PDB file of all heavy atoms in Angstrom:
ATOM      1  N   SER A  28     -52.431 244.480 225.258  1.00 92.00           N
ATOM      2  CA  SER A  28     -53.252 244.610 226.620  1.00 92.00           C
ATOM      3  C   SER A  28     -53.143 243.333 227.271  1.00 92.00           C
ATOM      4  O   SER A  28     -52.836 242.295 226.838  1.00 92.00           O
ATOM      5  CB  SER A  28     -54.699 244.954 226.207  1.00 92.00           C
ATOM      6  OG  SER A  28     -54.830 246.106 225.591  1.00 92.00           O
ATOM      7  N   GLY A  29     -53.468 243.429 228.624  1.00 91.00           N
ATOM      8  CA  GLY A  29     -53.379 242.198 229.496  1.00 91.00           C
ATOM      9  C   GLY A  29     -54.170 240.937 229.129  1.00 91.00           C
ATOM     10  O   GLY A  29     -53.865 239.920 229.425  1.00 91.00           O
ATOM     11  N   ASN A  30     -55.323 241.280 228.472  1.00 90.00           N
ATOM     12  CA  ASN A  30     -56.145 240.187 228.017  1.00 90.00           C
ATOM     13  C   ASN A  30     -55.993 239.759 226.517  1.00 90.00           C
ATOM     14  O   ASN A  30     -56.931 239.017 226.029  1.00 90.00           O
ATOM     15  CB  ASN A  30     -57.609 240.525 228.331  1.00 90.00           C
ATOM     16  CG  ASN A  30     -58.062 241.741 227.589  1.00 90.00           C
ATOM     17  OD1 ASN A  30     -57.280 242.410 227.018  1.00 90.00           O
ATOM     18  ND2 ASN A  30     -59.382 242.056 227.543  1.00 90.00           N
ATOM     19  N   GLU A  31     -55.075 240.286 225.864  1.00 92.00           N
ATOM     20  CA  GLU A  31     -54.804 239.945 224.474  1.00 92.00           C
ATOM     21  C   GLU A  31     -53.834 238.706 224.352  1.00 92.00           C
ATOM     22  O   GLU A  31     -52.801 238.603 224.926  1.00 92.00           O
ATOM     23  CB  GLU A  31     -54.305 241.102 223.668  1.00 92.00           C
ATOM     24  CG  GLU A  31     -55.260 242.191 223.460  1.00 92.00           C
ATOM     25  CD  GLU A  31     -54.730 243.242 222.630  1.00 92.00           C
ATOM     26  OE1 GLU A  31     -53.722 243.796 222.906  1.00 92.00           O
ATOM     27  OE2 GLU A  31     -55.420 243.595 221.566  1.00 92.00           O
ATOM     28  N   TYR A  32     -54.329 237.794 223.556  1.00 92.00           N
ATOM     29  CA  TYR A  32     -53.532 236.654 223.193  1.00 92.00           C
ATOM     30  C   TYR A  32     -52.663 237.023 221.885  1.00 92.00           C
ATOM     31  O   TYR A  32     -53.080 237.775 221.142  1.00 92.00           O
ATOM     32  CB  TYR A  32     -54.407 235.454 222.836  1.00 92.00           C
ATOM     33  CG  TYR A  32     -55.142 234.818 223.988  1.00 92.00           C
ATOM     34  CD1 TYR A  32     -56.247 235.327 224.493  1.00 92.00           C
ATOM     35  CD2 TYR A  32     -54.572 233.615 224.624  1.00 92.00           C
ATOM     36  CE1 TYR A  32     -56.926 234.823 225.639  1.00 92.00           C
ATOM     37  CE2 TYR A  32     -55.248 233.066 225.639  1.00 92.00           C
ATOM     38  CZ  TYR A  32     -56.352 233.624 226.249  1.00 92.00           C
ATOM     39  OH  TYR A  32     -57.038 233.148 227.292  1.00 92.00           O
ATOM     40  N   VAL A  33     -51.610 236.282 221.856  1.00 95.00           N
ATOM     41  CA  VAL A  33     -50.762 236.314 220.633  1.00 95.00           C
ATOM     42  C   VAL A  33     -51.087 235.059 219.805  1.00 95.00           C
ATOM     43  O   VAL A  33     -50.783 233.983 220.253  1.00 95.00           O
ATOM     44  CB  VAL A  33     -49.227 236.508 220.996  1.00 95.00           C
ATOM     45  CG1 VAL A  33     -48.351 236.444 219.731  1.00 95.00           C
ATOM     46  CG2 VAL A  33     -48.925 237.579 221.835  1.00 95.00           C
ATOM     47  N   TYR A  34     -51.563 235.296 218.587  1.00 94.00           N
ATOM     48  CA  TYR A  34     -51.850 234.244 217.689  1.00 94.00           C
ATOM     49  C   TYR A  34     -50.915 234.303 216.454  1.00 94.00           C
ATOM     50  O   TYR A  34     -50.578 235.432 215.944  1.00 94.00           O
ATOM     51  CB  TYR A  34     -53.410 234.382 217.074  1.00 94.00           C
ATOM     52  CG  TYR A  34     -54.303 233.556 218.020  1.00 94.00           C
ATOM     53  CD1 TYR A  34     -54.717 234.196 219.302  1.00 94.00           C
ATOM     54  CD2 TYR A  34     -54.858 232.445 217.608  1.00 94.00           C
ATOM     55  CE1 TYR A  34     -55.639 233.515 220.040  1.00 94.00           C
ATOM     56  CE2 TYR A  34     -55.787 231.772 218.399  1.00 94.00           C
ATOM     57  CZ  TYR A  34     -56.194 232.279 219.638  1.00 94.00           C
ATOM     58  OH  TYR A  34     -57.094 231.685 220.466  1.00 94.00           O
ATOM     59  N   TRP A  35     -50.497 233.127 216.028  1.00 96.00           N
ATOM     60  CA  TRP A  35     -49.777 233.032 214.741  1.00 96.00           C
ATOM     61  C   TRP A  35     -50.512 232.247 213.696  1.00 96.00           C
ATOM     62  O   TRP A  35     -50.978 231.107 214.117  1.00 96.00           O
ATOM     63  CB  TRP A  35     -48.385 232.433 215.005  1.00 96.00           C
ATOM     64  CG  TRP A  35     -47.454 233.297 215.664  1.00 96.00           C
ATOM     65  CD1 TRP A  35     -47.229 233.629 216.962  1.00 96.00           C
ATOM     66  CD2 TRP A  35     -46.430 234.218 214.941  1.00 96.00           C
ATOM     67  NE1 TRP A  35     -46.234 234.539 217.221  1.00 96.00           N
ATOM     68  CE2 TRP A  35     -45.759 234.903 215.980  1.00 96.00           C
ATOM     69  CE3 TRP A  35     -45.971 234.376 213.537  1.00 96.00           C
ATOM     70  CZ2 TRP A  35     -44.670 235.775 215.685  1.00 96.00           C
ATOM     71  CZ3 TRP A  35     -44.988 235.213 213.324  1.00 96.00           C
ATOM     72  CH2 TRP A  35     -44.349 235.940 214.423  1.00 96.00           C
ATOM     73  N   TYR A  36     -50.557 232.708 212.534  1.00 96.00           N
ATOM     74  CA  TYR A  36     -51.083 232.064 211.448  1.00 96.00           C
ATOM     75  C   TYR A  36     -50.152 232.180 210.221  1.00 96.00           C
ATOM     76  O   TYR A  36     -49.297 232.976 210.189  1.00 96.00           O
ATOM     77  CB  TYR A  36     -52.416 232.668 210.883  1.00 96.00           C
ATOM     78  CG  TYR A  36     -53.629 232.473 211.783  1.00 96.00           C
ATOM     79  CD1 TYR A  36     -53.955 233.177 212.925  1.00 96.00           C
ATOM     80  CD2 TYR A  36     -54.539 231.369 211.448  1.00 96.00           C
ATOM     81  CE1 TYR A  36     -55.051 233.013 213.724  1.00 96.00           C
ATOM     82  CE2 TYR A  36     -55.732 231.237 212.228  1.00 96.00           C
ATOM     83  CZ  TYR A  36     -55.914 232.015 213.436  1.00 96.00           C
ATOM     84  OH  TYR A  36     -57.023 231.787 214.212  1.00 96.00           O
TER      85      TYR A  36
END
Side-chain angles (χ1 to χ4, degrees):
Chain A
S28 300
N30 59 347
E31 286 183 308
Y32 289 79
V33 180
Y34 271 77
W35 284 84
Y36 286 83

